Amino acid sequence: MGTRKMDKSFLDWPFFEARHRELAAALEDWSVKHLPADHGDTDAACKGLVAALGQAGFLRHSGANEGERLDVRSLCLIRETLARHDPLADFAFAMQGLGMGAVTLFGTPGQRKWLERTRAGQAISAFALTEPGAGSDVASTATTAERTPGGWRLSGEKTYISNGGIADLYVIFARTGEAPGARGLSAFLMPADSTGLSVAERIEVIAPHPLARLKLAGVELPEAALIGQPGEGFKIAMSVLDVFRPTVGAAALGMARRALDEALARVALPRAGGGTLADYQIVQGHLADMALKVDAAALLIYRAAWTKDQGATRITREAAMAKLYATEAAQEVIDTALQLHGGDGVRCGSTVEALYRDIRALRIYEGASDVQRVVIARSVLA
Ligand code: COS
């Protein structure tokens, strides 16, 4: 990591309370001691990270039981800190939250029992929404859930499911047919050992993490597996995404901060011909743009998180702005940091090379950048 200390002045912004500053400091200490994890075997690394984050108590923040509140600022602070040290650790944390988001927001007391295990790092969760024919267009979901005498029978396919293959339980969205399109979907809690559920394919991506295509061949679920009411699945999915999209922005922010730190360390190195790269005004211009993007992203992210934590019922527009801007800006910051490293930037195994691969998927998952533009445009036109 860059030798320079990261700028933490943002923690003094009025969005935060003392408990947030304490959380950020505790996680920073933990991360310095435990990260980056050994990534040799991605599945084992993720399982180990979930267990370690659970034991250390940080996964408590990934969900909330009755009488508690999900604190979006804490989620964002944790994601940005973990992503700055080890993007796979951020992934491991994030999926426990996204996977259980529907249960945290809409679960029955019986379903909430799973939260004890996911928040202790003893069970791994996943969010199964995307399908081969329904990515950005959730209303086209084709997986079906038919009523049976004792509950539901699910058939279809889900793809690009993070934690697919290592998850202990999935929250899955399927068509129950109360109405066409978005109004005919429902959400279910589906344990990974359900008969008829199989991993059809493990998917390799440019920044490795557990990812799979799932096949559902008549998976039988009890009545108690239904989350919320029949027909509410689309709104449940969107409400979960509203909470977690700012946290994707936060992960991107952590990666951008790391890239800026790496760039600052690099441009301070003495050059053979005398001076440093930082002496050049053109380099200073790049550093200024990077710092500006980092702060602007942080402001949008913590605006969205603070607004939700103040009790807003919807933060659709704020969440979309935070995710869109922070992920696009992080890609640019990381690209510039890589450029400032010259040939060393594209060397496999260098920090900026890894960040360059790690950031890419964040502009796609949980609503691609153009989906966020659609959401923002609709809100300004409304
Ligand atoms: N919170 C609560 N309700 C919401 C909502 C939100 N954020 N967004 C939409 N709704 C409601 C709408 O109010 C509407 O309700 P009514 O039928 O009562 O009017 C209903 O849901 C349908 O909304 P809309 O017409 O906007 O749906 P669209 O089919 O046009 O879809 C987008 C909108 C494209 C924004 C949505 O499909 C989406 O977010 N796609 C990306 C999905 C995604 O992130 N995938 C990644 C999976 S996780 S890796």
Side-chain angles (χ1 to χ4, degrees):
M1 172 155 188
T3 47
R4 208 180 133 273
K5 275 253 178 279
M6 186 198 117
D7 174 15
K8 296 202 179 94
S9 58
F10 76 101
L11 288 167
D12 295 327
W13 291 350
F15 297 125
F16 300 108
E17 297 164 26
R19 66 192 167 93
H20 295 115
R21 287 182 278 274
E22 283 157 22
L23 172 64
L27 183 58
E28 179 68 18
D29 282 352
W30 185 88
S31 301
V32 167
K33 289 190 193 111
H34 296 92
L35 302 178
D38 176 1
H39 292 192
D41 174 330
T42 312
D43 285 2
C46 281
K47 288 179 189 168
L49 283 162
V50 168
L53 286 163
Q55 255 167 24
F58 296 112
L59 276 177
R60 255 188 315 109
H61 299 275
S62 68
N65 233 315
E66 252 151 342
E68 300 173 324
R69 242 195 21 208
L70 198 62
D71 188 76
V72 188
R73 288 166 293 174
S74 298
L75 287 174
C76 290
L77 278 173
I78 292 173
R79 290 203 65 178
E80 81 151 280
T81 305
L82 292 175
R84 184 158 45 76
H85 287 276
D86 181 356
L88 196 63
D90 162 59
F91 168 84
F93 174 83
M95 290 314 303
Q96 294 297 91
L98 180 70
M100 291 304 278
V103 175
T104 285
L105 298 178
F106 304 97
T108 61
Q111 292 163 350
R112 285 176 183 281
K113 290 214 171 82
W114 275 101
L115 278 168
E116 287 164 27
R117 296 185 56 203
T118 59
R119 293 171 81 195
Q122 292 160 359
I124 293 180
S125 69
F127 183 75
L129 179 63
T130 300
E131 299 187 356
S136 293
D137 185 12
V138 175
S140 296
T141 293
T143 293
T144 55
E146 295 167 337
R147 274 201 184 277
T148 61
W152 303 88
R153 183 184 301 116
L154 277 69
S155 305
E157 228 176 51
K158 293 283 171 183
T159 195
Y160 293 113
I161 305 308
S162 289
N163 276 346
I166 68 163
D168 296 293
L169 75 157
Y170 298 86
V171 164
I172 182 159
F173 297 85
R175 180 159 303 285
T176 38
E178 292 70 20
R183 292 180 172 201
L185 307 182
S186 301
F188 300 89
L189 193 58
M190 178 176 70
D193 58 6
S194 302
T195 310
L197 170 64
S198 62
V199 174
E201 180 193 6
R202 291 296 298 265
I203 305 167
E204 300 287 328
V205 283
I206 56 174
H209 71 262
L211 195 65
R213 181 162 57 87
L214 306 176
K215 195 165 162 42
L216 292 93
V219 176
E220 304 273 353
L221 294 178
E223 190 59 47
L226 179 73
I227 303 172
Q229 297 300 312
E232 284 186 349
F234 185 92
K235 287 188 186 180
I236 290 175
M238 291 303 134
S239 306
V240 170
L241 289 168
D242 275 359
V243 170
F244 285 93
R245 280 174 179 160
T247 79
V248 180
L253 172 62
M255 294 183 211
R257 286 196 200 278
R258 178 65 181 266
L260 177 56
D261 281 354
E262 295 292 328
L264 288 169
R266 176 78 184 194
V267 300
L269 292 178
R271 307 181 73 217
T276 67
L277 276 182
D279 296 333
Y280 291 93
Q281 281 189 344
I282 197 161
V283 171
Q284 293 168 13
H286 287 308
L287 296 173
D289 287 344
M290 292 162 88
L292 174 62
K293 284 169 188 166
V294 163
D295 274 13
L299 281 162
L300 283 169
I301 290 158
Y302 290 109
R303 187 264 301 245
W306 176 85
T307 306
K308 185 69 190 170
D309 291 342
Q310 293 308 107
T313 44
R314 275 181 71 167
I315 52 159
T316 307
R317 167 191 167 127
E318 292 87 348
M321 285 185 171
K323 197 220 172 225
L324 173 62
Y325 183 79
T327 56
E328 295 287 335
Q331 181 89 56
E332 293 161 12
V333 169
I334 291 167
D335 187 64
T336 307
L338 186 150
Q339 191 75 11
L340 289 170
H341 279 72
D344 290 342
V346 287
R347 255 182 117 109
C348 292
S350 78
T351 300
V352 287
E353 179 269 344
L355 287 169
Y356 191 78
R357 290 182 291 105
D358 282 317
I359 188 61
R360 192 62 185 84
L362 278 66
R363 290 166 55 208
I364 299 171
Y365 70 59
E366 289 184 46
S369 290
D370 282 339
V371 165
Q372 309 309 331
R373 289 188 178 93
V374 167
V375 170
I376 296 164
R378 282 183 185 174
S379 90
V380 295
L381 287 167

